Amino acid sequence: MILEMKVPSPGESIKEVEIATWLVKDGDYVEKDQAIAEVDSDKATLELPAEVSGIITLKAEEGDAVAVGAVVCLIDTEGAKPTSGESQKSESPKVEEKKVEAPKEAPAATVSYASSTPSPAAKKILDEKNIQPTDIIGTGKDGRITKEDALNATPSMGTPTGGNRASERTKLSMLRRKVAERLVAAKNETAMLTTFNEVNMTPINLLRNEYKDAFKAKHGGLGLGYMSFFTKAVTRALKMYPDVNSMMDGDHKIAFDFCDISIAVSGPKGLMVPVVRNAENMTFRGVEADIKRLALKARDGQITVDDMTGGTFTITNGGVFGSMLSTPIINPPQSGILGMHNIIERPIAVNGKVEIHPMMYVALSYDHRIIDGRESVGFLVAVKEALENPLELLMEGNAKRALEL
């Protein structure tokens, strides 16, 4: 029996997917539930499992856009599973074909603009002009560079010098194209503005140094990172300035009484923005556990559409890559995004004295159509205050209880 495998729907709003990679070859025997392909939607990369066991016939090429519900391959359920001997026998001719074809690549000639050396007089002139012999074409016998050639030579303004000048053209994945489309739309369709501040990270560092070992031991190896402090500081500030936790919908404003925080992470297929749901109700342990879970799914290519749907505000951390300062782009249809950056020890004034502290620049990009300057600046100041006084403002004065130790 021939089974027609159709593209399943990854989500309600997704009409088509793109074949990113076939994990099997035409004519292979596949087992039921074996991953046979990776497909890209505009929101995530998903694996396509075989519905039955049998011999597969591919009906789409890598890079093809296939509508949801369309036939993507055929599986012959009556196809016999090959033995190990048959498998080796079928593969051996391919190895021989490669051996036969290899010599065809040998005649790729090594051509240069000047294969002969310059005359001694010409070489002296070229050295004085700081010109490489390969940058000019000789007019002497067998292409030899003469003294006259050297006198007439001028410094190269981009002439190829024999180095690698290859280029490669590859099609962007559907996910990468959608990310690009959304980022351009955010720049063109919002009144985006960015405000900046700086945070003294000493109080957080002191807490982490004191409790991170106990936290890790108590919670099964879970680390006490910066993201839980920032997420808690953001949810507190969003409650104080609800306009930052809202979005435009035509002529209306949608305000949320919950905080679904999108966390920008880098995955193998590009930027992913999974969502920590109801972060305002989470403990430090809950935030760290959920962020770790989502980051691992993104890294392993297992992130789903549901994981990235929604979100009322975004946090992105360019500091992990060494960024000192940036203007993050809003993640539409949200109205605000907080950018974290690297931590550098800098001298600052403290009570009239110069002290060196670990400092971080933070940036809030926001949609000025819905968020005014007072709310945006007030929000960022509230984040700064919470991060510089986490014991009182984020832990209610009891670190052990807040960290569930």
Side-chain angles (χ1 to χ4, degrees), residues 81-121:
K81 184 175 182 179
T83 63
S84 58
E86 290 176 341
S87 176
Q88 293 174 358
K89 190 174 181 180
S90 64
E91 291 179 4
S92 59
K94 296 181 181 179
V95 176
E96 295 299 324
E97 288 175 9
K98 290 182 180 178
K99 290 181 180 178
V100 172
E101 292 177 0
K104 294 181 181 179
E105 298 181 2
T110 55
V111 180
S112 65
Y113 284 91
S115 57
S116 61
T117 58
S119 67

Side-chain angles (χ1 to χ4, degrees), residues 269-281:
K269 296 291 184 179
L271 183 67
M272 305 283 183
V273 195
V275 181
V276 176
R277 312 284 179 184
N278 287 108
E280 76 279 6
N281 298 328

Side-chain angles (χ1 to χ4, degrees), residues 240-268:
M240 298 171 63
Y241 297 93
D243 280 352
V244 185
N245 196 41
S246 60
M247 60 183 63
M248 293 280 291
D249 182 19
D251 295 332
H252 295 78
K253 178 180 79 171
I254 302 176
F256 303 97
D257 61 359
F258 56 89
C259 301
D260 283 356
I261 306 300
S262 303
I263 306 293
V265 297
S266 179

Side-chain angles (χ1 to χ4, degrees), residues 129-345:
K129 291 185 175 184
N130 196 25
I131 298 175
Q132 296 297 321
T134 52
D135 289 349
I136 61 176
I137 300 175
T139 60
K141 185 179 180 180
D142 298 327
R144 189 174 179 82
I145 300 172
T146 66
K147 180 179 179 181
E148 185 177 353
D149 294 331
L151 289 171
N152 294 330
T154 56
S156 172
M157 297 298 289
T159 303
T161 59
N164 183 13
R165 294 175 58 77
S167 63
E168 182 181 4
R169 181 184 179 90
T170 56
K171 186 177 181 181
L172 295 176
S173 68
M174 182 178 286
L175 175 61
R176 172 58 69 179
R177 297 199 304 271
K178 188 63 177 181
V179 169
E181 178 185 320
R182 286 167 61 85
L183 293 177
V184 171
K187 292 284 288 185
N188 293 338
E189 298 172 9
T190 64
M192 195 173 76
L193 192 63
T194 306
T195 184
F196 304 94
N197 216 314
E198 63 178 358
V199 177
N200 184 347
M201 300 295 290
T202 297
I204 290 178
N205 284 349
L206 292 175
L207 284 170
R208 291 182 68 240
N209 290 337
E210 183 176 356
Y211 295 109
K212 64 181 180 181
D213 291 338
F215 187 86
K216 188 173 184 178
K218 177 68 179 292
H219 302 304
L222 194 64
L224 178 60
Y226 292 111
M227 286 304 301
S228 54
F229 287 93
F230 273 82
T231 302
K232 297 288 287 182
V234 162
T235 56
R236 172 182 176 272
L238 288 176
K239 290 298 182 182
M240 298 171 63
Y241 297 93
D243 280 352
V244 185
N245 196 41
S246 60
M247 60 183 63
M248 293 280 291
D249 182 19
D251 295 332
H252 295 78
K253 178 180 79 171
I254 302 176
F256 303 97
D257 61 359
F258 56 89
C259 301
D260 283 356
I261 306 300
S262 303
I263 306 293
V265 297
S266 179
K269 296 291 184 179
L271 183 67
M272 305 283 183
V273 195
V275 181
V276 176
R277 312 284 179 184
N278 287 108
E280 76 279 6
N281 298 328
M282 285 187 173
T283 62
F284 282 82
R285 178 184 62 83
V287 172
E288 292 289 355
D290 213 36
I291 290 176
K292 181 179 180 180
R293 175 183 66 85
L294 294 169
L296 289 175
K297 291 183 72 174
R299 184 198 66 186
D300 296 337
Q302 301 297 317
I303 206 79
T304 67
V305 174
D306 289 340
D307 290 327
M308 296 191 292
T309 300
T312 62
F313 186 87
T314 296
I315 301 175
T316 180
N317 185 4
V320 296
F321 304 112
S323 173
M324 183 184 75
L325 189 62
S326 67
T327 54
I329 299 178
I330 295 170
N331 179 22
Q334 298 172 18
S335 298
I337 178 171
L338 179 73
M340 300 167 57
H341 299 92
N342 63 355
I343 301 171
I344 297 178
E345 289 192 341

